[in-house]
Short mmCIF file of all heavy atoms in Angstrom, two decimals:
data_model
loop_
_atom_site.label_atom_id
_atom_site.label_comp_id
_atom_site.label_asym_id
_atom_site.label_seq_id
_atom_site.Cartn_x
_atom_site.Cartn_y
_atom_site.Cartn_z
N ALA S 1 38.12 1.87 18.46
CA ALA S 1 36.74 2.25 18.76
C ALA S 1 35.78 1.35 18.00
O ALA S 1 36.01 1.02 16.85
CB ALA S 1 36.51 3.71 18.36
N PRO S 2 34.68 0.92 18.61
CA PRO S 2 33.72 0.06 17.91
C PRO S 2 33.04 0.82 16.79
O PRO S 2 32.75 2.01 16.92
CB PRO S 2 32.71 -0.31 19.03
CG PRO S 2 32.83 0.80 20.03
CD PRO S 2 34.26 1.23 19.98
N PRO S 3 32.78 0.18 15.65
CA PRO S 3 32.13 0.87 14.53
C PRO S 3 30.71 1.25 14.89
O PRO S 3 30.00 0.50 15.58
CB PRO S 3 32.17 -0.17 13.40
CG PRO S 3 32.26 -1.50 14.11
CD PRO S 3 33.05 -1.23 15.36
N THR S 4 30.28 2.42 14.43
CA THR S 4 28.91 2.86 14.68
C THR S 4 27.99 2.28 13.63
O THR S 4 28.32 2.24 12.44
CB THR S 4 28.83 4.40 14.64
OG1 THR S 4 29.32 4.85 13.38
CG2 THR S 4 29.66 5.01 15.75
N ALA S 5 26.82 1.81 14.06
CA ALA S 5 25.86 1.22 13.12
C ALA S 5 25.18 2.31 12.32
O ALA S 5 24.82 3.35 12.84
CB ALA S 5 24.82 0.41 13.90
N ALA S 6 25.00 2.04 11.02
CA ALA S 6 24.32 3.00 10.16
C ALA S 6 22.85 3.05 10.53
O ALA S 6 22.24 2.03 10.87
CB ALA S 6 24.47 2.60 8.70
N PRO S 7 22.24 4.25 10.51
CA PRO S 7 20.81 4.34 10.85
C PRO S 7 19.97 3.57 9.85
O PRO S 7 20.32 3.47 8.67
CB PRO S 7 20.53 5.85 10.75
CG PRO S 7 21.60 6.39 9.87
CD PRO S 7 22.81 5.53 10.11
N PRO S 8 18.87 2.96 10.29
CA PRO S 8 18.03 2.19 9.36
C PRO S 8 17.46 3.06 8.27
O PRO S 8 17.08 4.21 8.50
CB PRO S 8 16.92 1.63 10.27
CG PRO S 8 16.89 2.56 11.44
CD PRO S 8 18.30 3.03 11.64
N THR S 9 17.40 2.51 7.07
CA THR S 9 16.86 3.25 5.93
C THR S 9 15.34 3.17 5.93
O THR S 9 14.78 2.06 5.96
CB THR S 9 17.40 2.67 4.61
OG1 THR S 9 18.82 2.68 4.64
CG2 THR S 9 16.90 3.47 3.41
N PRO S 10 14.65 4.31 5.94
CA PRO S 10 13.19 4.26 5.93
C PRO S 10 12.68 3.69 4.61
O PRO S 10 13.34 3.84 3.57
CB PRO S 10 12.79 5.74 6.10
CG PRO S 10 13.96 6.50 5.60
CD PRO S 10 15.16 5.69 5.94
N PRO S 11 11.54 3.02 4.61
CA PRO S 11 11.02 2.46 3.36
C PRO S 11 10.65 3.56 2.38
O PRO S 11 10.37 4.69 2.76
CB PRO S 11 9.77 1.69 3.82
CG PRO S 11 9.37 2.33 5.11
CD PRO S 11 10.65 2.79 5.75
N THR S 12 10.69 3.21 1.12
CA THR S 12 10.32 4.15 0.08
C THR S 12 8.81 4.39 0.09
O THR S 12 8.07 3.71 0.81
CB THR S 12 10.74 3.62 -1.30
OG1 THR S 12 10.12 2.34 -1.52
CG2 THR S 12 12.25 3.45 -1.38
N ARG S 13 8.37 5.34 -0.71
CA ARG S 13 6.94 5.63 -0.83
C ARG S 13 6.21 4.36 -1.29
O ARG S 13 6.64 3.72 -2.24
CB ARG S 13 6.75 6.76 -1.84
CG ARG S 13 5.34 7.32 -1.92
CD ARG S 13 5.31 8.38 -3.00
NE ARG S 13 4.02 9.00 -3.13
CZ ARG S 13 3.65 10.13 -2.52
NH1 ARG S 13 4.53 10.75 -1.75
NH2 ARG S 13 2.46 10.64 -2.68
N PRO S 14 5.12 3.99 -0.63
CA PRO S 14 4.45 2.73 -1.00
C PRO S 14 3.82 2.80 -2.38
O PRO S 14 3.37 3.86 -2.84
CB PRO S 14 3.37 2.58 0.09
CG PRO S 14 3.12 3.97 0.58
CD PRO S 14 4.44 4.68 0.48
N GLU S 15 3.79 1.65 -3.03
CA GLU S 15 3.16 1.55 -4.35
C GLU S 15 1.65 1.66 -4.21
O GLU S 15 1.06 1.17 -3.24
CB GLU S 15 3.55 0.21 -4.98
CG GLU S 15 3.02 0.01 -6.38
CD GLU S 15 3.38 -1.34 -6.97
OE1 GLU S 15 4.22 -2.03 -6.35
OE2 GLU S 15 2.80 -1.71 -8.00
N ARG S 16 1.03 2.30 -5.19
CA ARG S 16 -0.42 2.47 -5.17
C ARG S 16 -1.10 1.19 -5.66
O ARG S 16 -0.78 0.68 -6.73
CB ARG S 16 -0.80 3.65 -6.06
CG ARG S 16 -2.20 4.17 -5.84
CD ARG S 16 -2.50 5.28 -6.83
NE ARG S 16 -3.69 6.03 -6.50
CZ ARG S 16 -4.34 6.81 -7.36
NH1 ARG S 16 -3.86 6.95 -8.59
NH2 ARG S 16 -5.42 7.46 -6.99
N GLY S 17 -2.04 0.69 -4.87
CA GLY S 17 -2.75 -0.52 -5.23
C GLY S 17 -4.21 -0.27 -5.55
O GLY S 17 -4.79 0.74 -5.12
N ASN S 18 -4.82 -1.18 -6.30
CA ASN S 18 -6.24 -1.13 -6.62
C ASN S 18 -6.95 -2.25 -5.87
O ASN S 18 -6.61 -3.43 -6.03
CB ASN S 18 -6.47 -1.29 -8.13
CG ASN S 18 -5.93 -0.12 -8.91
OD1 ASN S 18 -6.43 0.99 -8.82
ND2 ASN S 18 -4.88 -0.35 -9.69
N TYR S 19 -7.94 -1.88 -5.04
CA TYR S 19 -8.64 -2.85 -4.22
C TYR S 19 -10.15 -2.68 -4.41
O TYR S 19 -10.64 -1.56 -4.62
CB TYR S 19 -8.28 -2.66 -2.74
CG TYR S 19 -6.79 -2.60 -2.49
CD1 TYR S 19 -6.17 -1.39 -2.17
CD2 TYR S 19 -6.00 -3.74 -2.57
CE1 TYR S 19 -4.80 -1.33 -1.93
CE2 TYR S 19 -4.63 -3.69 -2.34
CZ TYR S 19 -4.03 -2.48 -2.03
OH TYR S 19 -2.68 -2.41 -1.81
N SER S 20 -10.88 -3.78 -4.31
CA SER S 20 -12.34 -3.70 -4.49
C SER S 20 -13.03 -4.80 -3.69
O SER S 20 -12.40 -5.80 -3.29
CB SER S 20 -12.71 -3.82 -5.97
OG SER S 20 -12.30 -5.08 -6.49
N VAL S 21 -14.32 -4.58 -3.47
CA VAL S 21 -15.17 -5.56 -2.77
C VAL S 21 -16.41 -5.76 -3.62
O VAL S 21 -16.99 -4.79 -4.14
CB VAL S 21 -15.57 -5.05 -1.37
CG1 VAL S 21 -16.53 -6.03 -0.69
CG2 VAL S 21 -14.32 -4.85 -0.50
N THR S 22 -16.84 -6.99 -3.78
CA THR S 22 -18.06 -7.30 -4.53
C THR S 22 -19.10 -7.86 -3.57
O THR S 22 -18.78 -8.54 -2.59
CB THR S 22 -17.79 -8.31 -5.65
OG1 THR S 22 -17.18 -9.49 -5.09
CG2 THR S 22 -16.85 -7.72 -6.69
N ASN S 23 -20.36 -7.58 -3.87
CA ASN S 23 -21.45 -8.10 -3.02
C ASN S 23 -21.91 -9.46 -3.53
O ASN S 23 -21.30 -10.05 -4.43
CB ASN S 23 -22.60 -7.09 -2.94
CG ASN S 23 -23.15 -6.74 -4.31
OD1 ASN S 23 -22.98 -7.51 -5.25
ND2 ASN S 23 -23.80 -5.60 -4.42
N GLY S 24 -23.00 -9.95 -2.98
CA GLY S 24 -23.47 -11.29 -3.29
C GLY S 24 -23.81 -11.54 -4.74
O GLY S 24 -23.63 -12.65 -5.24
N ASN S 25 -24.29 -10.52 -5.46
CA ASN S 25 -24.66 -10.72 -6.87
C ASN S 25 -23.51 -10.43 -7.83
O ASN S 25 -23.70 -10.38 -9.04
CB ASN S 25 -25.88 -9.87 -7.24
CG ASN S 25 -25.62 -8.39 -7.02
OD1 ASN S 25 -24.47 -7.96 -6.84
ND2 ASN S 25 -26.70 -7.60 -7.00
N GLY S 26 -22.31 -10.21 -7.28
CA GLY S 26 -21.14 -10.06 -8.12
C GLY S 26 -20.84 -8.65 -8.58
O GLY S 26 -19.88 -8.44 -9.33
N THR S 27 -21.62 -7.66 -8.15
CA THR S 27 -21.35 -6.28 -8.53
C THR S 27 -20.41 -5.63 -7.51
O THR S 27 -20.42 -5.95 -6.33
CB THR S 27 -22.64 -5.46 -8.62
OG1 THR S 27 -23.30 -5.49 -7.35
CG2 THR S 27 -23.56 -6.03 -9.69
N THR S 28 -19.61 -4.69 -7.99
CA THR S 28 -18.64 -4.02 -7.13
C THR S 28 -19.36 -3.03 -6.22
O THR S 28 -20.11 -2.17 -6.69
CB THR S 28 -17.59 -3.27 -7.97
OG1 THR S 28 -16.95 -4.22 -8.84
CG2 THR S 28 -16.54 -2.63 -7.09
N CYS S 29 -19.12 -3.13 -4.91
CA CYS S 29 -19.79 -2.24 -3.96
C CYS S 29 -18.81 -1.32 -3.23
O CYS S 29 -19.24 -0.41 -2.52
CB CYS S 29 -20.60 -3.05 -2.95
SG CYS S 29 -19.62 -4.25 -2.01
N LEU S 30 -17.52 -1.57 -3.38
CA LEU S 30 -16.51 -0.70 -2.78
C LEU S 30 -15.27 -0.72 -3.67
O LEU S 30 -14.84 -1.79 -4.12
CB LEU S 30 -16.15 -1.16 -1.37
CG LEU S 30 -15.12 -0.34 -0.58
CD1 LEU S 30 -15.39 -0.47 0.93
CD2 LEU S 30 -13.68 -0.77 -0.86
N MET S 31 -14.69 0.46 -3.88
CA MET S 31 -13.45 0.57 -4.64
C MET S 31 -12.48 1.48 -3.89
O MET S 31 -12.90 2.47 -3.29
CB MET S 31 -13.70 1.14 -6.04
CG MET S 31 -14.36 0.18 -7.01
SD MET S 31 -14.68 0.97 -8.62
CE MET S 31 -13.03 1.50 -9.08
N ALA S 32 -11.22 1.11 -3.94
CA ALA S 32 -10.18 1.93 -3.32
C ALA S 32 -8.91 1.85 -4.16
O ALA S 32 -8.55 0.77 -4.64
CB ALA S 32 -9.90 1.47 -1.89
N ARG S 33 -8.27 2.99 -4.32
CA ARG S 33 -6.98 3.07 -5.02
C ARG S 33 -6.06 3.91 -4.14
O ARG S 33 -6.31 5.09 -3.91
CB ARG S 33 -7.15 3.71 -6.39
CG ARG S 33 -5.91 3.70 -7.26
CD ARG S 33 -6.21 4.29 -8.63
NE ARG S 33 -7.19 3.48 -9.33
CZ ARG S 33 -8.10 3.97 -10.18
NH1 ARG S 33 -8.16 5.28 -10.39
NH2 ARG S 33 -8.94 3.16 -10.80
N MET S 34 -4.98 3.30 -3.62
CA MET S 34 -4.17 4.01 -2.63
C MET S 34 -2.87 3.27 -2.35
O MET S 34 -2.75 2.07 -2.61
CB MET S 34 -4.96 4.15 -1.32
CG MET S 34 -5.46 2.82 -0.76
SD MET S 34 -6.65 3.02 0.57
CE MET S 34 -7.24 1.32 0.78
N GLY S 35 -1.91 4.01 -1.80
CA GLY S 35 -0.72 3.42 -1.23
C GLY S 35 -0.85 3.48 0.28
O GLY S 35 -1.32 4.48 0.83
#
């Protein structure tokens, strides 16, 4: 009998990242922390 393929392993919980956006004068105008 042909071997059965193992089901794909779902990815783990995503790592939490820190993201930001700065405006024209260099000050932060948006912040996000999330996976």
Side-chain angles (χ1 to χ4, degrees):
T4 56
T9 304
T12 58
R13 189 183 182 94
E15 183 182 349
R16 196 183 193 197
N18 293 293
Y19 310 107
S20 62
V21 176
T22 56
N23 57 22
N25 59 15
T27 59
T28 303
C29 58
L30 181 152
M31 286 178 57
R33 186 177 297 147
M34 55 192 170

